[in-house]
Amino acid sequence: MAERAEGATMAERVEGAAMAERADGGLGASRLDMDSEAFRHWGREVIDRVAAYLERPESWRVLPDVRPGEFAAALPATAPAEGEPFERILADYDRLVPRATTHWNHPGFMAYFAVSATGAGILAETLSAALNVNAMLWRTGPAATELEQVTAGWVLGLLGLPEAWDGTINDTASTSTLYALAAAREAWPELEIRERGLAGRSDVPRLRIYCSEEAHSSVDKAAVALGLGLEGVTRVSTDDELRMDPAALERAIAGDRKAGVMPMAVVATVGTTSTTSVDPVAAIGEICRREGIWLHVDTAYAGPAAVLPEMRWILDGCELADSLVVNPHKWMFVPIDCSLLYTSKPEVLERAFSIVPAYLTTSEGQGVKNLMDQGISLGRRFRALKLWFVLRAFGASGIASVLREQMRLARLFADWVDREAGFERLAAVPFSVVNFRHRPPGLTDGEVDAWNAALLERVNASGEVFLSHTRIRGRFALHLAIGNIRTEEKHVRRAWQLVKTFAAAD
Ligand SMILES: *Cc1c(COP(=O)(O)O)cnc(C)c1O
């Protein structure tokens, strides 16, 4: 018998293993992957679950009722020695995962920047997982490489940005900003930073990045990673509406030059993370032009609003930018992750990152773009597929109508806050985010902060809505962000009702 098995042909062994799999309840115990019959069966099961979930995400608590460590404690300490039937894996998913998940698809999710997983995007992710393309080189993913360029171009057109810009897709805005600032650092090849680094050199001045005091922490992280250090970031002051003050920027640059510091880049933000304020990019861009400084625009969240003609102004001046980041996974209904980095100087970005080992040279040569040259990661997912699907499924008019409605809902909420005695709004509402607080009479500033922090806890403990918080000029603010495609007026109304109810309770 042993002889017979050893002598079996490959085909016989494969078939035998498949049979064993069947006898074993179908799936998993074999060394082989799931066969197509099983895949169809479980595929339908999974799609049915997704459909049911998206039909009623509010059947879950938006914030799960779990303690740290509770989820992990329900799992074995080691990986299984033998394969398990898929049925059992899926049953454990059902039993454990959704109830320990924060439901970003819940219409009551109004924290941070709410996002949306949409049907076209979810299905595209499935196809992309199946193709399993690693688009490091054009050759290893021609469609992935070219679709990335095509969809990046489409988004430029939708937002009214310069058509000649070059776009690539990264995982997140933090990565895109890191890459943009690495390119800014590479804009002076004569400093030879790429070759000789920064440490231990007396022939390179200290480099400086400028952004507003409201800019995202990803700018600081990039400064850390690029060897500038946190002291390499100057936080420029803002005006009453929390927008970077261009005069203060000019003063900072002039002072630094006098002190022998080299201004490297300015990061302007269109839609800051706390309050969605919009820096005056045109004025900042003029300064950058005059001073020869790289301008990076961070519009990770708000950028898609420029699809609306009445919101085009938000990107005024961005034509002066050397780079810009916008996240289709934030306010363009593409499932996370998908961040577009644009640059008008692709050759500089490529100089910052292109290192081609012998085994990755290809005969296509200079004629093609190899995505591995656009950043740190060699391997790249086929992210453009979901962007393509979503852009086509919604069209410009679909995106515009959802964004317009979400901005209406935010203004409606802001209006309720403005009319209610004892409440106050802490920032303007240019997009779909409202910052506000409850201010009972007779409390000190510190007590008002603590009261609102407690109010937030109570509202979130309801499991019906999830709001977050921020600090605006030092004051604790409740932060409500409308961005989930399933959020309707009734959900916003419910959020307001909960806030008022818990504010009235003692
Ligand atoms: C969300 C956000 C970021 C960070 O985005 P990630 O993609 O999570 O890294 C950066 N800047 C702004 C303005 C943002 O809104």
Side-chain angles (χ1 to χ4, degrees):
M1 250 184 65
E3 258 166 46
R4 175 73 193 98
E6 261 168 40
T9 64
M10 188 60 185
E12 279 170 334
R13 269 183 274 159
V14 169
E15 201 185 301
M19 296 286 276
E21 209 181 348
R22 279 284 88 71
D24 198 46
L27 316 157
S30 126
R31 280 168 289 118
L32 300 173
D33 190 17
M34 196 182 267
D35 66 21
S36 61
E37 187 192 332
F39 189 85
R40 282 201 177 84
H41 172 76
W42 293 114
R44 282 189 203 100
E45 285 281 324
V46 167
I47 293 290
D48 280 347
R49 270 174 183 66
V50 174
Y53 169 64
L54 293 179
E55 224 160 46
R56 271 194 63 75
E58 64 267 44
S59 62
W60 298 95
R61 291 174 55 88
V62 53
L63 266 183
D65 193 10
V66 282
R67 288 181 311 279
E70 191 180 328
F71 176 80
L75 301 177
T78 55
E82 307 293 334
E84 299 181 60
F86 193 76
E87 187 170 18
R88 219 155 72 206
I89 305 172
L90 198 55
D92 280 345
Y93 167 88
D94 288 342
R95 186 168 63 84
L96 298 170
V97 177
R99 65 166 292 272
T101 292
T102 298
H103 288 283
W104 288 73
N105 291 297
H106 193 296
F109 190 110
M110 301 173 194
Y112 314 109
F113 287 123
V115 297
S116 309
T118 55
I122 295 167
L123 294 174
E125 282 283 51
T126 309
L127 294 171
S128 146
L131 291 175
N132 203 27
V133 160
N134 181 340
M136 52 191 190
L137 299 165
W138 178 87
R139 167 171 289 197
T140 64
T145 303
E146 294 185 15
L147 193 58
E148 191 162 314
Q149 287 159 271
V150 170
T151 50
W154 284 10
V155 173
L156 281 179
L158 289 175
L159 305 187
L161 289 166
E163 274 171 31
W165 281 4
D166 192 79
T168 43
I169 299 178
N170 295 307
D171 51 1
T172 61
S174 303
T175 299
S176 293
T177 290
L178 169 66
Y179 292 176
L181 293 173
R185 200 182 62 171
E186 199 49 42
W188 296 277
E190 62 276 18
L191 293 180
E192 297 186 314
I193 293 170
R194 183 190 150 101
E195 291 74 24
R196 300 172 53 209
L198 280 173
R201 291 180 63 184
S202 55
D203 59 331
V204 178
R206 295 180 71 181
L207 305 175
R208 186 79 21 112
I209 299 167
Y210 307 83
C211 61
S212 93
E213 31 186 33
E214 297 292 314
H216 191 263
S217 53
S218 53
V219 180
D220 303 293
K221 280 200 188 180
V224 170
L226 292 170
L228 275 66
L230 292 173
E231 288 178 8
V233 179
T234 295
R235 295 264 172 180
V236 178
S237 58
T238 52
D239 67 11
D240 312 343
E241 295 199 29
L242 301 140
R243 302 171 296 200
M244 189 194 290
D245 173 3
L249 172 66
E250 274 189 302
R251 283 196 299 276
I253 291 170
D256 281 344
R257 285 210 195 280
K258 218 176 265 171
V261 172
M262 185 166 172
M264 185 186 95
V266 176
V267 180
T269 312
V270 172
T272 55
T273 312
S274 271
T275 67
T276 70
S277 61
V278 178
D279 285 342
V281 180
I284 294 167
E286 292 298 336
I287 296 169
C288 290
R289 274 285 151 98
R290 208 163 55 231
E291 297 277 345
I293 305 175
W294 185 283
L295 173 61
H296 175 61
V297 176
D298 177 0
T299 187
Y301 149 72
V307 169
L308 303 175
E310 67 272 25
M311 296 301 286
R312 264 291 151 92
W313 64 268
I314 63 168
L315 298 181
D316 283 353
C318 285
E319 67 282 359
L320 298 172
D322 299 285
S323 56
L324 177 145
V325 57
V326 58
N327 279 3
H329 78 227
K330 267 190 175 159
W331 213 14
M332 228 183 211
F333 326 130
V334 176
I336 195 164
D337 52 3
C338 184
S339 173
L340 273 166
L341 172 63
Y342 290 105
T343 179
S344 56
K345 300 194 169 71
E347 71 289 353
V348 181
L349 180 66
E350 200 158 310
R351 199 163 67 219
F353 288 113
S354 179
I355 291 180
V356 184
Y359 52 85
L360 290 174
T361 54
T362 62
S363 56
E364 285 85 38
Q366 298 298 306
V368 297
K369 182 167 178 172
N370 292 316
L371 293 174
M372 69 170 189
D373 295 331
Q374 315 296 314
I376 290 290
S377 58
L378 170 66
R380 278 173 171 263
R381 303 179 57 217
F382 190 173
R383 293 196 185 87
L385 195 69
K386 58 186 169 180
L387 178 56
W388 188 46
F389 273 39
V390 169
L391 290 173
R392 294 186 58 187
F394 281 83
S397 68
I399 295 169
S401 70
V402 177
L403 266 47
R404 197 174 272 131
E405 169 64 6
Q406 293 183 340
M407 287 192 274
R408 183 188 75 81
L409 293 177
R411 280 193 301 267
L412 189 65
F413 189 92
D415 196 45
W416 297 334
V417 172
D418 292 347
R419 286 158 190 270
E420 189 76 18
F423 279 86
E424 67 183 354
R425 200 144 55 75
L426 294 177
V429 182
F431 302 101
S432 67
V433 171
V434 186
N435 286 286
F436 66 103
R437 66 176 179 174
H438 184 222
R439 196 166 184 197
L443 298 190
T444 65
D445 288 348
E447 286 166 345
V448 173
D449 285 355
W451 169 254
N452 279 278
L455 172 58
L456 179 65
E457 289 296 317
R458 288 198 266 183
V459 169
N460 287 341
S462 72
E464 286 189 64
V465 295
F466 178 25
L467 311 187
S468 57
H469 69 275
T470 186
R471 288 218 173 241
I472 301 173
R473 299 252 188 260
R475 295 179 298 187
F476 187 98
L478 305 182
H479 174 103
L480 173 135
I482 316 275
N484 184 301
I485 200 160
R486 293 172 189 85
T487 301
E488 299 166 29
E489 186 170 326
K490 65 178 180 198
H491 303 112
V492 182
R493 221 170 259 288
R494 180 64 184 152
W496 179 228
Q497 197 179 41
L498 287 167
V499 168
K500 278 197 303 180
T501 306
F502 287 114
D506 51 12

